């Protein structure tokens, strides 16, 4: 996990395959934490047939596509439609599933039964899906607007709450959700859509693509391919029906996954804040240095990281820099660097503000007693400044802990991402977000109280 670079030319290669783990029945996580679904079973069977090793990277769809584009992964399998636009950047396998699109509305909605009923209304779609492409192609004809989401669960919830009147989605995904009790009903016949394919970067991993095609043909010939399809589409692997969907049942079922996510959240927070504190002290001192060069460098760093959204910084560090310089970095390391640099910029301002809040007479008095600048700063100014900084440090600690949730966008399985993955399986978004919110609240309250006790002990000279 902590190794930042991966040798892409390892003799015994383990292929990194990205997926969207919130796209049931093609890929989702079951109650035991295993990745299952049509795509997952196909990859496992093909890898066994062809004798190659692989590791699944559970990213969102957008992050998976960007990861493949920036060569952070070797391939993507995520119910990805084969389109002419994508063929420009990726090489696709033979089609392994022919998709299609249907429209659904909430179960209690009897006013919308065709495209003609959508005029002046909002329709929910998921980014990058066949449903999104189809909705875009007919929105002007039928006069509706589109609301875009990154995962199916939030898209369905938007329709159930009435913010959008209908949803367009890939038919197997929507049909599976309806079977799981997502609160929707289909109201149109299936429209023809593109086929799904396994994708690799243009000119990369040709041997993997060949093995996938050969393995797929072998599975079809042996009948195993049809068994996998029947498992999820005909007989239906109704995982939600086996779960207790009451609040305490969900709490019990989801607690192991949520605790794993919480552990990652705390690791990211603590490690990044340690690094950010060091970075903040260095750049905070540079910011108030008499050297204009040092002060300017510090000011540029602080302005960049305070002036751009954390999500943009995460994308830039995880996708942008590796693509530009042709190397790989793990999502964990990218997230850690992002949080550390972002929090470091705010820490630098806290350090600057704390030092400048100390009366200038303190420094002048220390210097008049013969103390050199460094010792006067270390022995006289900083001890007073630290006491002034403590409340701001505690506040930054809480902010950084909450900011870790943004890193779910690059596939880090922290607490929020754990909640999203569970919701993709059981579609119980209301209760699950209450559980996730309660966990965040409890942890932040505990850490805040501990920090307050530490603050009082420092001010009283007991720590």
């Amino acid at each position: 996990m902590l190794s930042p670079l991966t040798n892409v030319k390892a003799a015994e290669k383990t292929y990194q395959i990205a997926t969207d783990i919130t796209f049931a029945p093609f890929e989702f996580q079951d109650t035991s934490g295993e990745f299952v679904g049509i795509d997952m079973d196909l990859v496992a069977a093909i890898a066994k047939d062809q004798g190659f090793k692989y590791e699944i990277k559970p990213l969102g769809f957008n992050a998976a596509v960007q990861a493949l584009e920036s060569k952070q992964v070797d391939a993507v399998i995520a119910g990805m439609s084969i389109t002419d636009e994508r063929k420009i950047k990726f090489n696709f396998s033979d089609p392994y599933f022919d998709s299609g699109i249907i429209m659904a509305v909430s179960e209690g909605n009897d006013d919308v039964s065709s495209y003609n009923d959508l005029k002046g209304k909002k329709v929910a779609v998921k980014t990058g899906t066949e449903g999104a492409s189809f909705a875009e192609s007919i929105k002007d004809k039928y006069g509706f607007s589109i609301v875009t989401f990154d995962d199916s669960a939030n898209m369905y919830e938007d329709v159930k709450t009435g913010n959008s009147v209908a949803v367009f989605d890939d038919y197997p995904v929507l049909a599976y959700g309806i079977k799981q009790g997502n609160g929707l009903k289909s109201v149109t016949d299936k429209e023809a859509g593109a086929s799904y394919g396994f994708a690799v970067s243009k000119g990369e991993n040709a041997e993997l693509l060949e093995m996938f095609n050969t393995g797929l043909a072998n599975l079809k010939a042996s009948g195993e391919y049809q068994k996998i399809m029947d498992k999820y589409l005909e007989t239906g692997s109704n995982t939600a029906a086996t779960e207790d969907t009451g609040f305490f049942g969900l709490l019990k079922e989801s607690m192991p996954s949520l605790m794993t996510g919480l552990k990652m959240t705390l690791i990211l927070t603590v490690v990044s804040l340690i690094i950010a504190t060091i970075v903040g002290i260095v750049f905070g001192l540079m910011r108030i240095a008499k050297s204009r060069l040092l002060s300017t460098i510090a000011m540029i760093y602080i302005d960049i990281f305070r002036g751009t959204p954390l999500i943009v910084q995460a994308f830039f560090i995880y996708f942008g820099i590796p693509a530009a310089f042709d190397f790989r970095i793990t999502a964990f390391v990218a997230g850690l660097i992002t949080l550390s640099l972002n929090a470091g910029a705010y820490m630098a301002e806290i350090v600057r503000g704390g030092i400048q809040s100390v009366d200038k007479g303190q420094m002048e008095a220390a210097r008049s007693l013969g103390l050199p600048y460094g010792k006067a700063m270390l022995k006289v100014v900083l001890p007073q400044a630290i006491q002034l900084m403590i409340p701001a440090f505690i506040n930054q600690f809480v902010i950084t802990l909450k900011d870790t949730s943004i890193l779910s966008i690059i596939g880090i399985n922290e607490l929020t991402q754990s909640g999203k993955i569970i919701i993709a399986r059981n579609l119980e978004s209301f209760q699950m977000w209450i559980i996730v919110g309660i966990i965040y609240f409890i942890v932040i309250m505990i850490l805040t109280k501990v920090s307050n006790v530490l603050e009082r002990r420092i001010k009283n000279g007991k720590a």
Side-chain angles (χ1 to χ4, degrees):
M1 182 174 64
L2 291 172
S3 177
L5 303 179
T6 304
N7 185 354
V8 297
K9 295 182 179 178
E12 192 69 24
K13 187 168 185 176
T14 298
Y15 292 101
Q16 307 288 313
I17 301 177
T19 190
D20 173 9
I21 210 63
T22 63
F23 198 59
F26 288 90
E27 43 265 332
F28 58 102
Q29 193 176 51
D30 64 14
T31 53
S32 63
E34 296 294 320
F35 298 143
V36 297
I38 294 173
D39 288 353
M40 297 298 95
D41 287 11
L42 274 180
V43 167
I46 291 172
K48 183 179 179 182
D49 183 79
Q50 294 295 300
F52 66 84
K53 294 189 290 186
Y54 70 98
E55 180 183 355
I56 292 295
K57 295 289 185 182
L59 310 174
F61 184 78
N62 283 337
V65 173
Q66 290 185 68
L68 182 60
E69 192 174 356
S70 60
K71 300 179 183 178
Q72 292 293 295
V73 295
D74 297 302
V76 166
I77 184 164
M80 190 173 180
S81 300
I82 303 172
T83 65
D84 292 338
E85 188 178 19
R86 288 173 179 157
K87 284 180 180 177
I88 296 172
K89 292 190 174 182
F90 307 131
N91 286 330
F92 282 94
S93 67
D94 296 334
Y96 66 84
F97 187 85
D98 294 324
S99 185
I101 305 102
I102 54 174
M103 184 176 84
V105 299
S106 64
E107 287 179 334
N109 186 345
D110 296 324
D111 298 328
V112 177
S113 59
S114 71
Y115 305 149
N116 292 318
D117 299 324
L118 298 177
K119 187 174 179 59
K121 297 183 171 64
K122 291 190 291 186
V123 168
V125 300
K126 181 181 174 183
T127 308
T129 61
E130 278 292 291
S133 300
F134 180 74
E136 187 67 34
S137 69
I138 65 169
K139 69 174 185 177
D140 292 334
K141 179 180 179 181
Y142 293 101
F144 61 84
S145 58
I146 294 174
V147 182
T148 304
F149 294 86
D150 280 334
D151 60 74
S152 298
N154 287 338
M155 181 172 64
Y156 300 154
E157 202 62 29
D158 197 60
V159 177
K160 285 166 62 180
T161 56
N163 293 324
S164 298
V165 296
V167 56
F168 286 100
D169 204 1
D170 297 21
Y171 93 87
V173 178
L174 189 48
Y176 186 84
I178 292 172
K179 186 187 295 183
Q180 301 282 60
N182 64 3
L184 305 182
K185 62 179 180 183
S186 60
V187 292
T188 60
D189 295 330
K190 186 178 75 171
E191 302 279 355
S195 299
Y196 293 166
F198 178 83
V200 299
S201 293
K202 208 78 175 177
E204 303 280 339
N205 295 303
E207 77 289 349
L208 177 60
L209 203 59
E210 185 177 347
M211 287 190 288
F212 187 92
N213 286 333
T214 305
L216 180 63
N218 291 342
L219 293 187
K220 288 183 174 179
S222 68
E224 189 171 354
Y225 171 88
Q226 194 56 49
K227 287 181 182 177
I228 292 172
M229 295 298 152
D230 291 345
K231 177 181 177 182
Y232 294 98
L233 299 180
E234 296 299 329
T235 59
S237 181
N238 197 341
T239 56
T242 64
E243 291 189 51
D244 180 352
T245 55
F247 181 83
F248 292 103
L250 287 173
L251 186 63
K252 181 181 177 183
E253 290 278 355
S254 58
M255 194 49 66
S257 295
L258 292 176
M259 287 301 101
T260 301
L262 177 61
K263 180 182 176 183
M264 176 58 73
T265 292
L266 293 176
I267 290 173
L268 283 167
T269 303
V270 173
V271 177
S272 65
L273 276 178
I274 291 173
I275 299 172
T277 300
I278 297 170
V279 171
I281 291 173
V282 171
F283 280 90
L285 292 174
M286 287 171 61
R287 185 74 179 83
I288 59 172
K290 293 180 180 178
S291 167
R292 177 167 289 189
L293 175 63
L294 292 178
S295 180
T296 301
I297 292 173
M299 186 175 65
I300 291 172
Y301 160 68
I302 292 168
D303 286 349
I304 288 175
F305 280 91
R306 292 181 70 196
T308 54
L310 183 63
I311 191 171
V312 173
Q313 296 164 16
F315 280 143
F316 180 72
I317 291 172
Y318 187 47
F319 299 125
I321 295 177
F325 297 99
D326 194 22
F327 70 94
R328 287 189 178 185
I329 185 171
T330 66
F332 175 80
V333 173
L336 197 60
I337 293 172
T338 303
L339 276 182
S340 300
L341 293 177
N342 182 273
Y346 288 92
M347 288 287 196
E349 282 298 89
I350 292 171
V351 170
R352 181 189 64 79
I355 292 174
Q356 291 182 335
S357 296
V358 177
D359 194 313
K360 291 182 178 178
Q362 297 290 316
M363 173 62 82
E364 293 170 359
R367 297 299 302 274
S368 68
L369 292 174
L371 289 177
Y373 179 84
K375 185 167 285 187
M377 178 66 76
L378 189 65
K379 297 290 187 181
V380 179
V381 177
L382 278 181
Q384 298 178 67
I386 287 173
Q387 290 190 15
L388 297 171
M389 296 174 200
I390 289 174
F393 274 134
I394 294 172
N395 188 48
Q396 185 59 46
F397 184 87
V398 173
I399 290 172
T400 301
L401 189 146
K402 290 190 287 188
D403 280 350
T404 57
S405 63
I406 296 175
L407 300 180
S408 64
I409 198 71
I410 58 172
I412 296 180
N413 193 15
E414 44 68 62
L415 183 54
T416 299
Q417 178 74 347
S418 297
K420 288 166 67 176
I421 291 172
I422 294 169
I423 291 169
R425 179 182 70 236
N426 60 30
L427 301 173
E428 296 290 340
S429 58
F430 178 73
Q431 297 187 87
M432 282 308 306
W433 286 128
I434 289 178
I435 292 171
V436 171
I438 289 173
I439 293 173
Y440 271 118
F441 181 78
I442 291 173
V443 171
I444 288 173
M445 283 300 102
I446 291 174
L447 294 176
T448 302
K449 296 301 180 186
V450 170
S451 299
N452 288 340
V453 171
L454 183 62
E455 178 186 355
R456 284 197 295 272
R457 289 178 65 84
I458 291 175
K459 285 186 175 179
N460 294 330
K462 295 180 179 178

